[in-house]
Amino acid sequence: MSKQEFYQRSHCNLLVNILLTFIKVGVKYLVSYNYVSKISGKPICNRGVIVQTDAKLIEKREILKIELKKKGNKSVSVIMMNPSEADSDKSDVTVNKVIDFFIGPSLSPLNERNRRITDIKYLNILNLLSIYNPDSTGLNNDLDTIINERSKEYLQLLLKSNIELAIQTIKDSDYVVLAWGMPDEFPLPLYFKLAAMVLEELINSPKEIFVFHVKKSKARYHLTKRLNPPHPSYCNLLGLVRVDVDAFLRIAPRASTISTEDEHYEQQEQK
């Protein structure tokens, strides 16, 4: 083999390895919607640019609206932590998991076992933070970048605008699912302030409010050890649990028939 052929083959192998690495890294987040069997039309998304430099692109999404391909006329708003990747053209693992959960013909809340919810057709995906990042541990750095490239005032308006839209969407929805979980490497005072702004609107609310009942490893629970609603990622969604928000912003399950086994699993729940 000549030296030129050797370098050409080495170059081709390098390109193949780079492509395979990109596929392995990207496939987790770049997921297609299942248009044919699960949703109608194209999801509505208000994706926009916050910061764009040669070194960094930060985007936002305040709401993602999805019409499920099923009978019904009611809407559910699910409020999570921050957008990963889903928009009008592509989904992500978490959004697809939520679609799969609500596409079923009926839901029976764990603490309302004799009841069937069969009329959910419209799904609103909301977040405490509107900043796109598939790795939530990078969000704090994103806040610094936004302040440096824009301003503190801009960031404040960004956070306020997102929460105001989330609150209005919740008010217009028939059902609400709290699902923001517990972040890593993010300033908790800010996180809890944003969550509190949502919860204050739900104190003694006539809205039907739920959290997900989930399974992670061997643990089953509907509130984390820190009494936050569980996030849908990295767990199996088993059902819904009806909750209320009291005057102290505590998320409290309604009187239930949750089994002793489930209560035992909740005590074993991992972080």
Side-chain angles (χ1 to χ4, degrees), residues 27-79:
V27 72
K28 180 178 179 181
Y29 303 110
L30 303 182
V31 180
S32 297
Y33 286 106
N34 191 335
Y35 286 103
V36 175
S37 63
K38 295 180 181 179
I39 69 175
S40 298
K42 191 173 185 178
I44 298 173
C45 172
N46 61 347
R47 186 167 190 154
V49 174
I50 302 173
V51 170
Q52 186 170 14
T53 67
D54 292 339
K56 188 75 172 179
L57 174 63
I58 301 177
E59 297 179 288
K60 67 174 182 176
R61 185 195 75 207
E62 292 182 334
I63 188 169
L64 179 66
K65 297 182 178 182
I66 300 168
E67 181 178 345
L68 301 174
K69 189 170 282 188
K70 59 183 293 191
K71 294 180 179 180
N73 59 0
K74 298 294 181 67
S75 62
V76 58
S77 286
V78 180
I79 180 163

Side-chain angles (χ1 to χ4, degrees), residues 2-223:
S2 69
K3 185 179 290 186
Q4 182 178 0
E5 288 175 333
F6 173 79
Y7 283 125
Q8 286 177 341
R9 180 171 295 182
S10 299
H11 182 67
C12 288
N13 289 338
L14 177 61
L15 290 176
V16 169
N17 288 332
I18 291 173
L19 179 60
L20 290 174
T21 300
F22 174 79
I23 291 172
K24 289 178 181 178
V25 172
V27 72
K28 180 178 179 181
Y29 303 110
L30 303 182
V31 180
S32 297
Y33 286 106
N34 191 335
Y35 286 103
V36 175
S37 63
K38 295 180 181 179
I39 69 175
S40 298
K42 191 173 185 178
I44 298 173
C45 172
N46 61 347
R47 186 167 190 154
V49 174
I50 302 173
V51 170
Q52 186 170 14
T53 67
D54 292 339
K56 188 75 172 179
L57 174 63
I58 301 177
E59 297 179 288
K60 67 174 182 176
R61 185 195 75 207
E62 292 182 334
I63 188 169
L64 179 66
K65 297 182 178 182
I66 300 168
E67 181 178 345
L68 301 174
K69 189 170 282 188
K70 59 183 293 191
K71 294 180 179 180
N73 59 0
K74 298 294 181 67
S75 62
V76 58
S77 286
V78 180
I79 180 163
M80 297 186 278
M81 180 178 176
N82 75 288
S84 175
E85 193 58 47
D87 57 21
S88 294
D89 298 311
K90 58 183 175 294
S91 188
D92 57 48
V93 173
T94 301
V95 168
N96 271 2
K97 183 183 291 187
V98 173
I99 291 172
D100 287 340
F101 180 81
F102 285 106
I103 197 65
S106 68
L107 295 166
S108 181
L110 193 65
N111 49 352
E112 295 179 335
R113 293 186 184 276
N114 294 326
R115 180 186 174 201
R116 296 283 179 184
I117 300 174
T118 61
D119 52 4
I120 295 176
K121 184 171 181 64
Y122 303 100
L123 172 60
N124 301 312
I125 302 292
L126 306 167
N127 296 277
L128 293 182
L129 288 151
S130 62
I131 302 168
Y132 272 107
N133 197 323
D135 181 4
S136 60
T137 61
L139 283 170
N140 195 41
N141 290 333
D142 289 340
L143 298 183
D144 289 333
T145 301
I146 294 168
I147 291 171
N148 293 333
E149 295 293 331
R150 304 298 294 260
S151 66
K152 291 181 180 178
E153 292 75 19
Y154 178 89
L155 178 58
Q156 289 173 340
L157 290 173
L158 182 74
L159 299 176
K160 180 181 178 183
S161 171
N162 179 65
I163 291 296
E164 286 180 345
L165 178 60
I167 289 172
Q168 186 58 54
T169 304
I170 286 171
K171 288 180 177 179
D172 295 337
S173 299
D174 299 289
Y175 307 104
V176 180
V177 180
L178 310 178
W180 48 73
M182 190 71 184
D184 292 321
E185 301 179 35
F186 189 83
L188 292 183
L190 173 57
Y191 196 69
F192 288 133
K193 178 182 178 180
L194 297 173
M197 292 170 71
V198 174
L199 292 174
E200 284 172 354
E201 295 295 325
L202 296 173
I203 294 173
N204 300 322
S205 172
K207 289 286 180 188
E208 297 197 53
I209 310 168
F210 302 90
V211 294
F212 286 119
H213 186 62
V214 305
K215 180 179 180 181
K216 183 178 180 181
S217 298
K218 293 183 178 180
R220 300 184 187 186
Y221 55 97
H222 50 269
L223 290 175

Side-chain angles (χ1 to χ4, degrees), residues 242-257:
R242 181 79 180 269
V243 299
D244 294 303
V245 178
D246 71 11
F248 303 100
L249 305 185
R250 296 181 299 177
I251 302 169
R254 290 199 170 185
S256 68
T257 56

